[in-house]
Amino acid sequence: MSMFQIFNISGSAVSAQSQRLNVVASNLANVDTVAGPDGSVYKARQVVFQTHLFGDPQSAGVKVTNVVEDQTPGRKVHDPAHPQADAQGYVTYANVSSIEEMVNMISASRSYQNNVEVMNTAKALLQKTLQLGQ
C-alpha cells in the first residue's frame, strides 16, 4: 500500500463522519419538534456506511450510501392545553433521543479526529522521508 493511499482512506472516512455529524446535528435540532397540522413529525435519521474500493483490492475506504429515517413512532405526551394536541389531548414529539444522539455525536467526532490524526501522521512521515533525501 502506498503512503498516498492513506490519504484516500482517511479522507473518505473524514468525509463520511462529517456527513454523520451533520445528520446528528439535524436530529438534535429537532428533538423537541411536534407533529404539524398534517400529523407528520420529524423522524430521526441515521447514515448508512459502505466499504468503498479505490481500485486496488488492498485499498478500501468508506462512503455514505444512504440516510434512512427511523420508523419508530414519536413519543406522545399528554398535554391537552398544547395547541398541537390531538383529540385525546396527546402531543406527538419527534422520535429523537437526545442521549443517543449525543453518544452518536461523540463517536463520530472521535472517529473524525482520529482520521485527521492519521493524515497528519502520514504527512509528517512523508516530510521526514523527503528530508532524508536532502
Side-chain angles (χ1 to χ4, degrees):
M1 176 189 307
S2 164
M3 283 289 287
F4 295 108
Q5 288 176 328
I6 292 172
F7 293 106
N8 288 338
I9 295 166
S10 290
S12 71
V14 164
S15 176
Q17 294 304 328
S18 176
Q19 290 179 15
R20 182 178 169 197
L21 284 167
N22 285 336
V23 169
V24 168
S26 179
N27 287 344
L28 285 171
N30 287 287
V31 157
D32 290 324
T33 58
V34 297
D38 62 350
S40 65
V41 68
Y42 180 85
K43 294 186 182 289
R45 292 172 173 84
Q46 301 296 327
V47 293
V48 178
F49 297 118
Q50 181 180 10
T51 303
H52 175 70
L53 298 176
F54 291 114
D56 179 8
Q58 296 175 349
S59 178
V62 65
K63 69 177 181 175
V64 174
T65 58
N66 200 4
V67 178
V68 295
E69 286 186 346
D70 183 357
Q71 296 303 317
T72 58
R75 62 185 165 94
K76 291 189 176 261
V77 176
H78 190 261
D79 185 5
H82 194 283
Q84 299 289 10
D86 62 12
Q88 292 82 26
Y90 285 94
V91 179
T92 305
Y93 286 87
N95 63 351
V96 179
S97 166
S98 58
I99 295 170
E100 288 178 20
E101 292 302 323
M102 292 299 288
V103 169
N104 201 5
M105 180 181 64
I106 291 168
S107 172
S109 177
R110 286 185 179 162
S111 181
Y112 185 96
Q113 290 171 343
N114 288 338
N115 280 290
V116 168
E117 189 61 33
V118 165
M119 287 191 286
N120 286 336
T121 302
K123 176 184 165 191
L125 289 172
L126 286 170
Q127 287 176 333
K128 292 288 185 188
T129 303
L130 290 173
Q131 287 175 355
L132 287 175
Q134 292 179 350

